[in-house]
Structure formats: C-alpha cells, structure tokens
Amino acid sequence: MFSKLTRCLFTQIRNIVRDTKVGVLGVPFENGQPKIGVGNGPRFIRDGGLIQSLKEIHAYMDVVDYGDVTYTIDPQIQNVPNMKEYVHMVSCSREVTKRVTEIIKDGRVCLTVGGDHAIAVATVDGHIQAVSHDIILVWIDAHADLNTSHTSDSGNTHGMPVALLAKELSDYWPYLPGMDWQNPVMSIKNLVYFGLRAVDSYERLIIEKLGILAFGMEEIETYGIDACINMAFEKLDPDKQKSIHVSFDIDALDAFEAPSTGTPVRGGLTLREGVHIMEAVHRSGRLTAMDLVEVNPSIGSKKDVDITVSAAIHVIKAAFGFNRKGLKPSNVSDLPKHT
Ligand SMILES: NC(=[NH2+])NCCC[C@H](N)C(=O)O
Ligand SMILES: [Mn+2]
Ligand SMILES: [Mn+2]
C-alpha cells in the first residue's frame, strides 16, 4: 500500500521517537580479565554525569537508570579449562541477559555500562531474545575478542565474547555448563568490526576464513571513517531493516584518548572517529542496544581517568542524538527581544 520510501520514513520517525527512551544498566563485572578496578566503571561513568548528559541531549529524552546488576554464583556450575573465572561469567551473564531483554521489551534502547567486555555475550543475547536472531552487531574495539578456550593465550573471557556468540564457531567450543540459556546465537555475517589493531593469530585466521567484515585501522586510514561506516551498513543491511547492537570497547580509541583501560593499544581511533561512528548509528534510527565497556578507573592518574570517562560519555551522547552543531531552543521560534 505504501511505497518503500514512505515506509522507510515511517520507520525513521517511529525510531527517532523511540530513541529518546533510554534504559541505563550498570554491570560492575571484572572477572573477565585480571585487572581490578574495571568493575568501578559504571560508578565513575555515572559520577561523571552520564544520566544528566543524556537528559540534556534534547527536550524529549526520557532516561531511566535501572541501577546495577547483581548476581550470586551458581554452585552447580563447573569450571571450564582455560576460561578464567568461568563460573562468574556464567552466573552474571544470566542476570544481564534477563535485564537487557526486559529493558528492550519496555520500549527502551538499552545502554549497558561495564565492566569488562565479557558482559557483551549477555547483552547481545538479551537483545536477540527481545528482538530476533537477525540483528547487526557493530563491534568497536582494538581487539577482535574472537578467541575460544582452545585458542586464547590468556584464558581471559573478555577476549572471547564474539566467539561465544557466533553460531559458525559453535563446533569449536567444549561443552559449556550453564550456558544453555545462551541460545539463540547470531551469525557472523551480521557482524562488523571497527578499530582493530591487536588481533591474535587464530583470530586473524577466523576473520579470513569466515570472511568477517572488518575495518581495522588500516582500512579506516585508507577510506576514512565515513566511507567505512557507509560500506558496513550497505553490506550488512541494504534494506535498512535490522536492529543494531553496538558493543563499544573504550580501548578502540587511541591510548591517548582513553588511557584508563586494561589493554590499551596505541594508534587507535580518535574520539572524533568514535563519535562519527555513533552519530551514523544514531541517524539510522535502529539502535536498540549499546555497551560501553572496559573503562578502568584504577589505571592511570586522576587526569587519565577523567579523560577516559569523558571520552566514554561523548561517545554515548553521540549514539543518543547529541548534535555537535547544537540544537535550537525547543519552544521558541526567534531570538528573545530586549525589552
Ligand atoms: N575486551 C578486551 N579488551 N579484550 C582484550 C583481549 C586480548 C587478547 N586477545 C586475549 O584474548 O586475551
Ligand atoms: Mn579491546
Ligand atoms: Mn573488547
């Protein structure tokens, strides 16, 4: 009945209205890697003004803070070789998945603040449970986080979430007790990476073997960030239909832009490039969930922490519609006159 263009416009309007409803979830989880402190990420990012900054984006923002996820360890669950603190990851993930699904079903875009990147198994899964298998995953990171328990040198589960989510890799995992809830999983065909520059050898092998779409720093330098994001969206979702999940590891940004993180890598995205990606995601009108992870306030000086927290907040604001050109006043049509 309606033309494709009209339908597209309807969806955009619906999504812009929906985008103003945000649910913030903190996940103070730090067992996916060995450096203590990353569990304080949610507190520092909130104290840095997250909720207020979101509310100030424009007059129609509707922000609800759902607080932090807590969990108890399930004593039934056995450990898995070369997955450190596996029991923690499984027990926390269960709760995170439930909460993310609830927030999305409440009609809000779910913003999850970590915590280390191991939590993204659960946020992506929660998104899938609420929406469908067929979502787009935009993984912005210096690292591919594509190790299995067999390929990881570190045994840190924050280096494994993408491999846990990918159905194409399910045969490469041992039995994972307590992870049966983690179904359905997604196809690697719906994944794109931005910012890669510290990729392990097996990760590289998987990326090439499965033809995963990856804009590493080299491609970003060659084509520019705007062309890369356009190519990614065109390739993954030419019909502009799919729900988008962004998992933003703060170490995607250059170590100068975000020094307080556990595995910093130099030569990364500028804050402007990070913001540019998120502005494009916002314009799509299809952002349903975003993670911001790996801010570790125990690393570096107070200045380092402030820089990192403020970079995180800038990236988040861009995702939820902050306009660098500024906004006109919402209820006045002209400059106030001097009387
Ligand atoms: N989310 C992160 N910062 N991941 C870093 C992973 C580093 C390394 N590839 C590993 O598997 O241990
Ligand atoms: Mn990383
Ligand atoms: Mn990561």
Side-chain angles (χ1 to χ4, degrees):
M1 190 165 66
F2 295 114
S3 73
K4 201 168 170 183
L5 182 69
T6 323
R7 260 186 291 133
C8 192
L9 274 172
F10 278 159
T11 326
Q12 288 223 344
I13 291 166
R14 194 189 65 220
N15 288 339
I16 285 163
V17 173
R18 189 200 59 165
D19 267 359
T20 61
K21 294 184 85 179
V22 186
V24 178
L25 184 65
V27 186
F29 181 81
E30 58 180 32
N31 297 83
Q33 49 80 64
K35 297 186 184 165
I36 52 164
V38 68
N40 293 322
R43 181 160 59 83
F44 274 69
I45 293 170
R46 282 196 185 91
D47 290 351
L50 173 68
I51 306 296
Q52 196 53 30
S53 303
L54 284 169
K55 288 183 175 163
E56 283 169 1
I57 291 175
H58 57 67
Y60 309 103
M61 289 300 290
D62 168 356
V63 185
V64 172
D65 190 346
Y66 286 73
D68 283 351
V69 169
T70 53
Y71 65 94
T72 47
I73 299 231
D74 182 339
Q76 312 280 3
I77 296 169
Q78 310 260 301
N79 265 309
V80 171
N82 204 34
M83 290 183 83
K84 291 183 189 155
E85 309 280 5
Y86 173 78
V87 175
H88 276 271
M89 190 197 72
V90 176
S91 311
C92 180
S93 292
R94 258 188 212 159
E95 287 309 311
V96 174
T97 293
K98 258 192 257 161
R99 302 290 298 278
V100 170
T101 305
E102 272 163 28
I103 293 171
I104 296 173
K105 288 199 166 157
D106 273 354
R108 294 184 177 272
V109 180
C110 181
L111 170 66
T112 306
V113 181
D116 71 53
H117 220 163
I119 67 171
V121 185
T123 59
V124 174
D125 198 57
H127 182 169
I128 288 174
Q129 309 273 355
V131 178
S132 89
H133 286 247
D134 203 15
I135 65 164
I136 290 182
L137 176 57
V138 182
W139 199 271
I140 307 172
D141 203 325
H143 310 93
D145 295 347
L146 196 51
N147 277 306
T148 68
S149 57
H150 298 302
T151 66
S152 172
D153 286 334
S154 65
N156 297 331
T157 56
H158 79 156
M160 305 179 185
V162 182
L164 282 164
L165 287 161
K167 71 168 188 236
E168 289 85 348
L169 293 176
S170 56
D171 288 348
Y172 296 90
W173 286 97
Y175 173 63
L176 297 174
M179 288 280 278
D180 315 291
W181 54 270
Q182 204 243 328
N183 181 31
V185 279
M186 61 173 292
S187 166
I188 217 116
K189 293 194 182 69
N190 290 343
L191 164 71
V192 59
Y193 284 116
F194 284 99
L196 297 183
R197 60 193 183 280
V199 178
D200 299 338
S201 55
Y202 276 109
E203 294 180 313
R204 171 76 193 265
L205 179 76
I206 297 168
I207 290 173
E208 296 207 342
K209 195 173 144 160
L210 300 180
I212 300 174
L213 191 56
F215 295 94
M217 290 316 300
E218 214 178 317
E219 289 73 30
I220 293 172
E221 281 150 23
T222 307
Y223 305 109
I225 195 68
D226 193 60
C228 290
I229 183 95
N230 290 334
M231 282 189 263
F233 281 177
E234 190 51 42
K235 174 98 197 286
L236 291 183
D237 186 19
D239 293 335
K240 302 182 170 50
Q241 294 289 327
K242 297 181 186 174
S243 179
I244 300 176
H245 190 114
V246 174
S247 208
F248 201 115
D249 183 330
I250 201 71
D251 71 29
L253 300 183
D254 190 88
F256 283 113
E257 301 271 21
S260 296
T261 188
T263 47
V265 191
R266 296 185 66 180
L269 297 176
T270 60
L271 177 57
R272 283 163 53 186
E273 287 167 329
V275 163
H276 195 98
I277 302 173
M278 298 320 300
E279 286 175 348
V281 168
H282 174 75
R283 274 196 306 276
S284 77
R286 281 172 289 117
L287 179 67
T288 301
M290 173 178 182
D291 321 319
L292 192 298
V293 296
E294 299 282 354
V295 171
N296 187 335
S298 300
I299 293 175
S301 63
K302 169 152 190 328
K303 189 172 169 214
D304 290 337
V305 176
D306 289 348
I307 290 173
T308 311
V309 166
S310 107
I313 293 178
H314 271 85
V315 161
I316 292 171
K317 277 166 62 182
F320 290 96
F322 178 79
N323 191 325
R324 286 186 277 176
K325 287 198 214 111
L327 280 185
K328 286 185 281 188
S330 55
N331 49 8
V332 246
S333 55
D334 205 354
L335 276 177
K337 286 214 173 75
H338 176 69
T339 47

